[in-house]
Amino acid sequence: MRISRSTGLRAIPAWLLVAVAALSTPLPASQSSSWLDAYRDPAARLIAESLSSAFAWERLAFLGDTFGHRLSGSEGLEHAIEWALAEMKNDGLDNVRAEPVKVPHWVRGQESAEITFPHRSPLAMLGLGNSVGTPAGGIEAEVLVVRSFAELDASGDRARGRIVLLNVPFTTYGETVQYRTAGPSRAAALGARAMLIRAVGPPGLRTPHTGALRYAEGTPQIPAAAISVEDAERLQRMQNRGTKVRVRLEMEARFLPDADSANVIGEIRGRERPDEVVVVGGHFDSWDVGTGSTDDGGGCIVTWEALRLMKKLNLRPRRTVRLVLFTNEENGLAGGRAYLDRYRSQLGHHVLMLESDSGVFRPTGFGFSGSASARETILQIASLLRGIQADRIGPSGGGADIGPSVEAGQLPAMSLEVEGNYFLIHHTQADTVDKIDPADMAKASAAIAVMAYVVADMPERLK
Amino acid sequence: MRISRSTGLRAIPAWLLVAVAALSTPLPASQSSSWLDAYRDPAARLIAESLSSAFAWERLAFLGDTFGHRLSGSEGLEHAIEWALAEMKNDGLDNVRAEPVKVPHWVRGQESAEITFPHRSPLAMLGLGNSVGTPAGGIEAEVLVVRSFAELDASGDRARGRIVLLNVPFTTYGETVQYRTAGPSRAAALGARAMLIRAVGPPGLRTPHTGALRYAEGTPQIPAAAISVEDAERLQRMQNRGTKVRVRLEMEARFLPDADSANVIGEIRGRERPDEVVVVGGHFDSWDVGTGSTDDGGGCIVTWEALRLMKKLNLRPRRTVRLVLFTNEENGLAGGRAYLDRYRSQLGHHVLMLESDSGVFRPTGFGFSGSASARETILQIASLLRGIQADRIGPSGGGADIGPSVEAGQLPAMSLEVEGNYFLIHHTQADTVDKIDPADMAKASAAIAVMAYVVADMPERLK
């Protein structure tokens, strides 16, 4: 019996999950704990090999240091893709290839925001991804600060002709990010000329966070930018004092014609059932600030490591393990969709898809979405990771890039789970490799290698 | 007996201080603890009044929010000075006045730094204060990274024609700042075309720190900028890998003709000996990043509060308490020198000078430089601050702005001492009011008010 979808598990009542677990038939012999014994040695070797060096961190550092950011359409991304292809071949991976994908090509250009009244003072800002630009010379208008969509909607005609600032304190990403994605069109619908948003993240050091917006059909497309928490609170205080603050926003942001990019793929070809595939990966593109080391360079490198470690230890599983470095997660998801388009007919042979895209801080285990019996198997495999404290299996797994395929194929899905201050640096200038501990990367690589290897090798397919 | 100078106390052996304390004659009646009893009530009232509101924090927020930064020569500083004069009059202070001071007028202009080889990638940078600019189009050169002056000097001819990066990890400000002040000329002497310095502060969020450089006589003046810790380590790693990294630095920095500014002064005029003066203050100028809220807006406001609180409670001490908001501490010290020039003949009537310029985080007490008997008195007064845990008296006190007068007059000197992460935000974009706790400001204001009031009022002059 298969229960869950990556997007659906949260909706199933806990009592039902318990009931299903209680009703499930006894595990077959191959699924009882004893089958796991054959994997204790390879798991220990994968872990020891990973923990023996800082190879993953060094590779991630090289990637960010050398190529900088990797926004879709940028030279940095395409140079990095060429490098990754060469490196995967150097690692001895099988079937290394780039699978072409057309991607949106948004460019930021020059941008700035400043208070112009009562006294000129710059704001720390980052335009939102996919935003339109302003006319040359910018947009200057009085600011209306609101704390919520409710306050915005209640402002009646006061948003008209204004620059609206959505000053919403960060709670969780899922809850707060809606103001970034939907805010510009909500403000435009009320006649705002531009939108500013308090950065979606906890307070930093005057650190704006970029990220994609999504214009709604039928409302004017207005320019939109994030400003730092400090600047948002400053504008709030000024409004609270009755000061009629004016701000000038200037952005050259625009789309160029779609660009050529690619998903980068390498494999450990299965020795017995090569058509059955365990996919691991992350997204290779990033925002155009910082070097995209946690989002999601680290996820790419630690999933890549899983294959490199198997190769290094000459561990070739029964089934194929496929690494996919997806392109264009941040502002389009073209890579994830292209994978589905290309492999739709083969999804029945996809045993599991695993993505790492929550940063590579201290790994605690994985989130998993799949059947109750598959969960039982995954829990058993995870026990091999107890020594590195990465054996927790959370209630749901998935990822943006694997999402289209997981949904289309109703596939079991996993995500690496970590503990760390991901959202402090997410989509900021500060997303650089120094925020990541080499030991955490080694542990994460080991955890993914063990999980992927055992799922790919175990006698019975995960189901 | 007067022992110490603000600059000299550290040089006196500890055994001598102990010996002096042991040999000193018994305190006169007015200096024994019982004299202090008369001040328990006013001290309690000053503390209670200060802690009853967030007035200090709100005033500091208004200052930074409204006027932005206050670099010497900027409109922000001069508008803020006009506001301060009006506010001091509103507070009912005596003899409110601006004392004109000519100040250097350095402007940053547009500036940027980027890696140009192996791949283009921007660096997070801030030009150093008082730096010359680059030629239009910038300076592009290969980078030489060194970890110390010793490594720089040992580099022989390899600095010639290069951009030198001094990548020195932060230890203490006193120890590390020398690389910022002296580094540009040390690099220029070896033929470097420009200098970059790892930001003088602990790691932040890709947060460069500006601050003044000091060109040496007889060496070419080359442009110099700080880059973030992350960027410095990136360039270090690239050099360690053998990559010949090229960087382009472009800065429009230049001096304009000296500008008009002023020290802002207000007083509580003494009721019996008005010519004897206790000076309290901070510096009102700031760097041109952030809003200069901790450096040193907060110091200005909490010393100002000392007078406002006395006025509010109708506490007029025997001697005069004088508030001085000095101009141009950051890149010239013209305000501190102008004060000395104007009051040189009256230094003999200066009882104490107290500066707050280490941020207004949790106050722990004061540093004090002065005679052993004065220290004994100060310790007794500090006991009135035990209730707010601000009663520690450290071994030396002083401040940049009061420095010239303290030295010329051999005056007792104090500084507010606090516990907080001052150097994380010092001279950065993140120096904004939200980093300061209103309760800490209230406590600091109370501590300064009590100290200044008692020293100004006690029957015998501090000596």
Side-chain angles (χ1 to χ4, degrees):
Chain A
M1 174 177 183
R2 166 163 297 163
I3 292 182
S4 75
R5 304 284 72 79
S6 70
T7 51
L9 190 68
R10 288 178 195 277
I12 297 173
W15 63 263
L16 179 57
L17 291 174
V18 173
V20 166
L23 290 170
S24 63
T25 49
L27 294 170
S30 67
Q31 296 273 337
S32 79
S33 271
S34 64
W35 68 272
L36 203 61
D37 290 338
Y39 294 109
R40 296 191 193 281
D41 175 66
R45 290 168 62 208
L46 286 164
I47 292 168
E49 176 64 27
S50 189
L51 268 54
S52 71
S53 81
F55 187 94
W57 191 91
E58 296 287 353
R59 179 167 262 177
L60 179 62
F62 182 90
L63 170 66
D65 292 348
T66 305
F67 304 107
H69 78 74
R70 300 176 303 279
L71 183 61
S72 292
S74 68
E75 284 188 21
L77 176 58
E78 297 314 306
H79 287 301
I81 286 174
E82 288 165 28
W83 166 82
L85 288 165
E87 287 287 292
M88 287 184 195
K89 287 174 187 163
N90 283 344
D91 288 347
L93 303 193
D94 305 318
N95 304 322
V96 173
R97 59 199 188 265
E99 296 182 342
V101 180
K102 280 282 186 190
V103 295
H105 189 184
W106 178 83
V107 292
R108 177 178 303 279
Q110 294 292 314
E111 59 180 17
S112 64
E114 62 170 353
I115 295 171
T116 55
F117 181 89
H119 296 285
R120 282 187 63 188
S121 190
L123 300 171
M125 64 81 78
L126 274 177
L128 295 187
N130 299 348
S131 177
V132 298
T134 64
I139 289 171
E140 184 178 348
E142 193 179 322
V143 174
L144 172 68
V145 188
V146 296
R147 286 276 193 195
S148 64
F149 280 146
E151 198 181 335
L152 175 63
D153 293 340
S155 71
D157 206 43
R158 291 189 300 130
R160 187 163 307 282
R162 301 277 184 87
I163 294 175
V164 166
L165 166 61
L166 280 163
N167 181 24
V168 184
F170 183 73
T171 50
T172 64
Y173 190 68
E175 194 169 40
T176 316
V177 74
Q178 62 176 319
Y179 293 92
R180 188 191 79 208
T181 52
S185 291
R186 294 285 290 262
L190 297 172
R193 296 174 64 197
M195 192 213 67
L196 300 176
I197 185 166
R198 171 183 172 131
V200 179
L205 290 170
R206 203 120 177 260
T207 309
H209 298 236
T210 190
L213 60 74
R214 196 170 51 235
Y215 290 124
E217 299 279 329
T219 49
Q221 298 193 349
I222 60 172
I227 61 174
S228 74
V229 172
E230 291 93 329
D231 290 279
E233 285 295 295
R234 178 181 179 180
L235 292 171
Q236 181 83 57
R237 285 191 301 268
M238 295 175 87
Q239 173 171 295
N240 292 354
R241 289 185 198 113
T243 309
K244 296 201 177 303
V245 184
R246 292 182 69 82
V247 161
R248 194 187 64 80
L249 176 69
E250 188 158 12
M251 295 170 58
E252 293 179 348
R254 65 198 183 282
F255 277 100
L256 302 179
D258 284 357
D260 292 319
S261 188
N263 292 334
V264 181
I265 297 186
E267 297 176 347
I268 300 286
R269 191 77 177 156
R271 69 174 194 278
E272 281 188 9
R273 303 184 209 159
D275 294 346
E276 290 185 10
V277 179
V278 171
V279 170
V280 299
H283 66 86
F284 209 40
D285 67 306
S286 74
W287 282 109
D288 58 336
V289 292
T291 55
S293 293
T294 65
D295 188 11
D296 178 31
C300 291
I301 301 299
V302 294
T303 49
W304 181 347
E305 278 290 276
L307 281 74
R308 190 188 69 84
L309 292 165
M310 290 180 215
K311 181 72 189 176
K312 179 111 190 261
L313 297 177
N314 206 20
L315 290 169
R316 182 176 295 277
R318 222 174 289 264
R319 302 176 189 80
T320 292
V321 178
R322 176 179 294 162
L323 169 69
V324 185
L325 308 185
F326 295 91
T327 193
N328 183 231
E329 189 269 348
E330 294 294 5
N331 63 336
L333 212 61
R337 282 198 279 255
Y339 185 89
L340 170 60
D341 288 346
R342 185 178 293 259
Y343 294 97
R344 190 184 295 270
S345 69
Q346 299 169 40
L347 291 183
H349 292 306
H350 279 55
V351 174
L352 172 69
M353 295 187 85
L354 183 157
E355 180 157 0
S356 171
D357 187 21
S358 298
V360 185
F361 300 106
R362 197 178 72 71
T364 58
F366 299 90
F368 177 72
S369 291
S371 70
S373 67
R375 170 173 294 275
E376 184 57 35
T377 304
I378 295 295
L379 280 164
Q380 289 173 19
I381 300 171
S383 71
L384 299 172
L385 303 171
R386 205 160 288 157
I388 56 170
Q389 288 92 46
D391 57 330
R392 293 210 311 241
I393 300 298
S396 68
D401 299 283
I402 62 175
S405 299
V406 165
E407 190 161 0
Q410 304 285 288
L411 304 176
M414 292 189 92
S415 38
L416 180 71
E417 293 199 345
V418 300
E419 282 182 358
N421 209 343
Y422 182 63
F423 287 109
L424 180 64
I425 61 171
H426 177 252
H427 294 189
T428 76
Q429 294 276 8
D431 182 357
T432 50
V433 69
D434 45 275
K435 308 302 183 303
I436 302 170
D437 183 337
D440 287 342
M441 282 198 81
K443 282 182 197 158
S445 303
I448 295 165
V450 169
M451 184 58 69
Y453 176 73
V454 178
V455 172
D457 192 69
M458 61 190 192
E460 289 203 18
R461 179 179 166 168
L462 187 74
K463 56 190 171 191
Chain B
M1 173 177 184
R2 168 165 294 163
I3 293 184
S4 78
R5 307 284 73 79
S6 71
T7 51
L9 191 69
R10 289 179 194 276
I12 297 172
W15 63 264
L16 179 57
L17 290 174
V18 173
V20 165
L23 289 170
S24 63
T25 50
L27 294 169
S30 71
Q31 296 275 335
S32 78
S33 271
S34 64
W35 69 272
L36 202 62
D37 291 340
Y39 294 109
R40 296 191 193 282
D41 175 65
R45 289 168 62 208
L46 287 164
I47 293 169
E49 176 65 26
S50 189
L51 268 53
S52 72
S53 79
F55 187 94
W57 191 91
E58 296 287 353
R59 180 167 263 180
L60 180 61
F62 182 90
L63 170 65
D65 292 348
T66 306
F67 303 107
H69 79 75
R70 300 176 303 280
L71 183 61
S72 292
S74 69
E75 284 188 22
L77 176 58
E78 297 314 305
H79 287 301
I81 285 174
E82 289 165 27
W83 166 82
L85 288 165
E87 287 286 293
M88 285 183 196
K89 287 174 188 162
N90 282 345
D91 288 348
L93 303 193
D94 306 317
N95 303 323
V96 173
R97 58 199 189 265
E99 296 183 342
V101 181
K102 280 281 185 191
V103 295
H105 189 184
W106 178 83
V107 292
R108 178 179 302 280
Q110 293 293 313
E111 59 180 18
S112 64
E114 62 169 353
I115 296 172
T116 56
F117 182 88
H119 296 286
R120 284 187 63 187
S121 190
L123 300 171
M125 63 82 78
L126 275 177
L128 295 186
N130 299 350
S131 177
V132 298
T134 62
I139 289 171
E140 185 179 347
E142 193 180 321
V143 175
L144 172 68
V145 188
V146 296
R147 286 275 193 194
S148 65
F149 281 147
E151 198 181 334
L152 175 62
D153 293 339
S155 70
D157 206 45
R158 291 190 300 130
R160 186 162 309 280
R162 300 277 183 88
I163 295 175
V164 165
L165 166 61
L166 279 164
N167 181 25
V168 183
F170 183 73
T171 51
T172 65
Y173 189 68
E175 193 169 40
T176 316
V177 74
Q178 61 176 319
Y179 293 93
R180 189 191 76 206
T181 51
S185 291
R186 294 285 291 261
L190 296 172
R193 297 174 64 197
M195 193 213 67
L196 300 175
I197 185 166
R198 173 184 172 133
V200 178
L205 290 171
R206 202 116 178 264
T207 309
H209 298 236
T210 190
L213 59 75
R214 197 168 51 234
Y215 290 125
E217 300 279 330
T219 50
Q221 298 192 348
I222 60 173
I227 62 174
S228 74
V229 172
E230 290 93 328
D231 290 279
E233 286 294 295
R234 177 181 179 181
L235 293 171
Q236 181 84 57
R237 286 191 300 269
M238 294 175 89
Q239 174 171 294
N240 293 354
R241 288 186 200 113
T243 309
K244 295 198 178 303
V245 183
R246 293 183 68 83
V247 160
R248 195 186 63 82
L249 176 69
E250 188 157 13
M251 294 170 59
E252 292 179 348
R254 64 197 184 281
F255 277 101
L256 302 177
D258 284 357
D260 292 320
S261 188
N263 292 336
V264 182
I265 296 186
E267 296 176 348
I268 301 287
R269 191 77 175 155
R271 69 175 193 277
E272 282 188 10
R273 303 185 209 160
D275 293 346
E276 291 185 8
V277 179
V278 171
V279 169
V280 299
H283 65 86
F284 209 40
D285 68 306
S286 74
W287 282 109
D288 58 337
V289 292
T291 55
S293 293
T294 66
D295 188 11
D296 180 31
C300 291
I301 300 300
V302 294
T303 49
W304 181 348
E305 276 293 276
L307 282 74
R308 190 187 71 84
L309 292 165
M310 289 180 215
K311 180 71 189 173
K312 179 111 193 261
L313 297 177
N314 207 20
L315 290 169
R316 185 176 293 277
R318 223 174 287 267
R319 301 175 190 80
T320 293
V321 178
R322 178 180 293 162
L323 168 69
V324 186
L325 308 186
F326 296 92
T327 192
N328 185 231
E329 189 270 348
E330 294 294 4
N331 63 336
L333 212 61
R337 281 198 280 256
Y339 185 89
L340 170 61
D341 289 346
R342 185 178 291 258
Y343 294 97
R344 190 185 295 272
S345 67
Q346 299 169 40
L347 291 183
H349 292 306
H350 279 56
V351 174
L352 172 70
M353 295 188 84
L354 182 157
E355 180 157 0
S356 171
D357 187 22
S358 297
V360 185
F361 300 106
R362 196 178 72 70
T364 59
F366 298 91
F368 177 73
S369 290
S371 70
S373 66
R375 171 174 294 276
E376 185 57 35
T377 304
I378 295 295
L379 280 164
Q380 290 172 15
I381 301 171
S383 72
L384 299 173
L385 302 171
R386 206 160 288 157
I388 55 170
Q389 288 93 48
D391 58 330
R392 293 210 310 240
I393 299 297
S396 69
D401 300 283
I402 63 175
S405 299
V406 164
E407 191 162 359
Q410 304 284 287
L411 303 176
M414 294 189 89
S415 38
L416 180 71
E417 294 199 344
V418 300
E419 283 182 357
N421 209 344
Y422 182 62
F423 287 109
L424 180 64
I425 62 172
H426 177 252
H427 294 191
T428 75
Q429 293 276 8
D431 182 357
T432 50
V433 71
D434 46 274
K435 308 303 183 303
I436 302 171
D437 183 338
D440 287 341
M441 283 199 80
K443 283 182 198 160
S445 303
I448 295 165
V450 169
M451 183 59 67
Y453 176 73
V454 178
V455 171
D457 192 70
M458 58 188 192
E460 291 202 19
R461 179 179 166 169
L462 187 75
K463 55 190 171 192

